[in-house]
Amino acid sequence: MGRRWRDGRGELVVHGGGEGPPVTVPLEIATSYRARTKGLLGRDSVEGAILLSPASSVHTFRMRMPIDVAYLDRRLRVVDVCTMRPGRLGMPRLRARHVVEAEAGVLAGWGVRRGVSVEVIA
């Protein structure tokens, strides 16, 4: 069930587990080493979210804002969600294969929580 995305734009569809209609969010896709390394560094905000793939952990060194981080397994099910302030190193999540980053506080509003599945439309 390997996924092959390319750097670019897409949409993140959050299936909230039957609690209303799916939420669709603009998504930046970062799959190359260079794009994953840059991520949200140096930005003051992000429109929607960014997907880092493959990734099982992130850091917020040199970031200007706190972020929400959702760790996804290979089936795009949320393994864990946390908020990280700038200057932190996140611990790797064992089953995580992909990471979604967004501005702090927005993932909960989109219905992203442990156990929810998401879909990436490139």
Side-chain angles (χ1 to χ4, degrees):
M1 197 161 179
R3 288 175 167 69
R4 295 284 182 186
W5 297 298
R6 293 183 181 204
D7 292 348
R9 297 212 165 267
E11 292 180 332
L12 179 72
V13 181
V14 181
H15 301 282
E19 297 178 13
V23 176
T24 302
V25 179
L27 182 68
E28 184 178 328
I29 301 170
T31 59
S32 68
Y33 177 78
R34 185 177 191 165
R36 287 192 325 261
T37 302
K38 183 169 176 11
L40 295 177
L41 296 178
R43 298 189 196 184
D44 292 321
S45 65
V46 59
E47 180 186 336
I50 183 170
L51 171 75
L52 306 175
S53 178
S56 62
S57 67
V58 296
H59 68 82
T60 57
F61 300 120
R62 295 184 8 222
M63 283 200 182
R64 298 178 181 172
M65 61 183 173
I67 60 170
D68 280 348
V69 179
Y71 298 89
L72 310 176
D73 67 11
R74 64 185 177 93
R75 292 191 174 108
L76 300 183
R77 186 166 301 274
V78 179
V79 174
D80 195 14
V81 179
C82 67
T83 301
M84 295 177 65
R85 296 184 319 212
R88 303 288 181 205
L89 177 63
M91 295 298 294
R93 302 312 196 268
L94 229 41
R95 294 183 358 246
R97 298 294 178 265
H98 319 282
V99 173
V100 173
E101 298 178 344
E103 287 187 35
V106 299
L107 289 184
W110 298 338
V112 177
R113 63 187 181 285
R114 185 176 290 155
V116 167
S117 64
V118 300
E119 180 182 357
V120 174
I121 301 172

